[in-house]
Amino acid sequence: MDPLSHLEDMLSEFRPLFKHNNFNHFETFVKGLINTPHRGTMTQIYLSTEQSQTYWCLPKFLSRGVWCVDEVASSLRRQVQTVYGTGVYVYDESHATTDGKKQVGTHFFRNTRYQKRNKNQSKFHHGHEFGAIGWLAETREGVRLFPLAVRMMDPKSEAANSFAVLKHLCGLMPPGLIIFDRGFNRRKVFTEILSEGHHLLCRARSNAAFFYLPKRPKFPKKGRPRRYGSRVSLPHLKYRDLVVGNETFSVTDKVVRTRMCPVDVRIVVIRKRPRDPSKPYQYFCVFTSDLQLPVEAVIRHYRNRWQIETAFRDVKENFGFDSYQLRNPKSLDRFVQLSFLAASLTQLAFRSQRDPETQTDDAGPDLETVLLALNMHWYQPKYLTRGLMVAYLQRCLQQNYFLGSYAPGENSEKKLKNVEDST
């Protein structure tokens, strides 16, 4: 089946969430964000689709439209998990730089990529920060991340700070395993995640302390029993070789306790020898609250966590995530959620769908078909990237909207009537 037909079928499942006019604007936004080649501004969205309404209906749809952004995110999550039921969640934060001083929620945040010798780059940026959660699935085409929900963070507001956004987004998702980076090593965060029924998988900081489970004394004394045993020493653990994918790792695992998490965790340590033999080993530690999760799955899941970083990059480059021109926080949350929805539906449009009548898989266009349609003989990627998916869908949308409105022989020549001058 054509990816454009897949896209139409998936958009039709969102119809119960909108009224008639609002659903037309919703389709305009999603298809416009896919069809805009560069920034994805409101004007480009309006001009890139077949729109019968006026331009000002689009800003009003974001600010005054009667629809719930949480319901849209939940519907997207159900569609993604119906196709790819096996996977894990990934939570991370991103930012968008802007020059608008009057926009709500803008503030200065530290640039972590700053280099001392780079004099042209500032230590701080001005703009918005966002918290986002995605679904990481291992498909036949490779590992893919589907962005699900995103919200703007405002550090000056208690209802929209970093912890409130994380609590809200994780509460929208059914219980599962959530992967975090080491910047989220806080007991308050982990306590809230575990209370929602989720399990966590997080990287440990370099100064993190882990302790053995305390041994039960033969003659217990009065007072509260010990919570922590002796501290774990990483060099003194017994390591073994483990093959994950095509690589061999020297790993070890242990059920331990830490003050960062209120429950027992399984720590997985990867030991790596540096190039210089005279230097000591380097240790990479991750821990999870799911004690039944195999060590191979722990390493594989955290290695795939980087997909959310590339997803942020692709959403900003191809779906207008950081090119909004809005001052209303409600409109801003809705716009970035629609950009996430457009990115996920683009990937779902290229899935293989099973025909119930013939009981066969109707696969979408493969990599060779997409490269041939786009006339990219010089590009030889290993798999179908998001950029190629967007370019192919743009070609289908442009043919559907603009080439179909003229006769077959009049596409390239536009006939103009000569008006006589009556003066």
Side-chain angles (χ1 to χ4, degrees), residues 308-318 386:
I308 195 170
E309 306 293 347
T310 59
F312 279 139
R313 179 201 61 193
D314 294 340
V315 171
K316 291 178 181 179
E317 290 181 356
N318 300 321
R386 290 190 189 93

Side-chain angles (χ1 to χ4, degrees), residues 118 177 217 250 318 332 382:
N118 192 348
L177 180 66
S250 178
N318 300 321
L332 201 151
K382 297 181 180 179

Side-chain angles (χ1 to χ4, degrees), residues 165-410:
V165 170
L166 185 146
K167 179 180 178 181
H168 177 73
L169 293 180
C170 295
L172 293 176
M173 306 300 160
L177 180 66
I178 306 180
I179 306 177
F180 296 94
D181 200 5
R182 59 182 176 182
F184 296 92
N185 278 272
R186 296 190 298 272
R187 188 181 182 90
K188 181 180 179 181
V189 172
F190 293 158
T191 303
E192 180 62 33
I193 295 301
L194 295 174
S195 65
E196 295 288 344
H198 298 283
H199 283 291
L200 60 96
L201 173 60
C202 186
R203 179 183 174 184
R205 294 181 178 178
S206 58
N207 58 349
F210 296 94
F211 304 90
Y212 292 106
L213 302 181
K215 297 181 180 179
R216 187 175 182 180
K218 295 182 180 180
F219 305 99
K221 299 180 181 181
K222 294 182 179 181
R224 185 176 58 183
R226 294 187 62 182
R227 170 68 180 169
Y228 305 99
S230 58
R231 185 168 179 174
V232 177
S233 177
L234 300 182
H236 292 85
L237 296 176
K238 295 182 180 179
Y239 292 85
R240 65 183 186 277
D241 292 338
L242 182 65
V243 179
V244 179
N246 297 326
E247 298 185 24
T248 304
F249 299 94
S250 178
V251 301
T252 185
D253 65 293
K254 203 77 176 178
V255 177
V256 296
R257 289 178 178 175
T258 177
R259 293 186 174 91
M260 296 178 295
C261 190
V263 297
D264 298 345
V265 297
R266 178 182 296 277
I267 181 176
V268 178
V269 186
I270 301 176
R271 185 178 63 175
K272 182 179 179 181
R273 180 182 292 275
R275 295 181 179 180
D276 190 358
S278 62
K279 295 184 178 180
Y281 282 100
Q282 297 176 354
Y283 299 95
F284 183 87
C285 304
V286 292
F287 60 92
T288 177
S289 61
D290 189 359
L291 304 182
Q292 305 300 326
L293 192 65
V295 179
E296 298 88 346
V298 172
I299 299 175
R300 187 175 66 255
H301 287 332
Y302 197 83
R303 289 184 66 190
N304 297 334
R305 192 208 70 87
W306 188 254
Q307 293 290 329
I308 195 170
E309 306 293 347
T310 59
F312 279 139
R313 179 201 61 193
D314 294 340
V315 171
K316 291 178 181 179
E317 290 181 356
N318 300 321
F319 300 98
F321 181 83
D322 59 347
S323 61
Y324 47 83
Q325 298 175 350
L326 305 167
R327 294 184 181 180
N328 189 353
K330 182 179 179 180
S331 302
L332 201 151
D333 277 337
R334 289 180 169 185
F335 184 84
V336 295
Q337 179 61 49
L338 291 177
S339 66
F340 263 41
L341 187 141
S344 296
L345 293 185
T346 300
Q347 298 183 87
L348 286 177
F350 283 81
R351 74 184 188 275
S352 57
Q353 191 174 17
R354 191 170 185 82
D355 191 359
E357 297 181 358
T358 60
Q359 297 297 326
T360 57
D361 291 336
D362 185 11
D366 55 356
L367 179 60
E368 297 181 357
T369 305
V370 172
L371 293 178
L372 183 62
L374 298 177
N375 195 16
M376 291 185 177
H377 58 277
W378 47 269
Y379 187 40
Q380 297 179 356
K382 297 181 180 179
Y383 57 93
L384 198 59
T385 61
R386 290 190 189 93
L388 292 175
M389 296 179 187
V390 172
Y392 188 81
L393 274 180
Q394 286 177 2
R395 180 177 178 274
C396 296
L397 287 172
Q398 291 171 5
Q399 289 180 349
N400 186 29
Y401 288 151
F402 303 110
L403 297 184
S405 60
Y406 299 99
E410 299 178 357

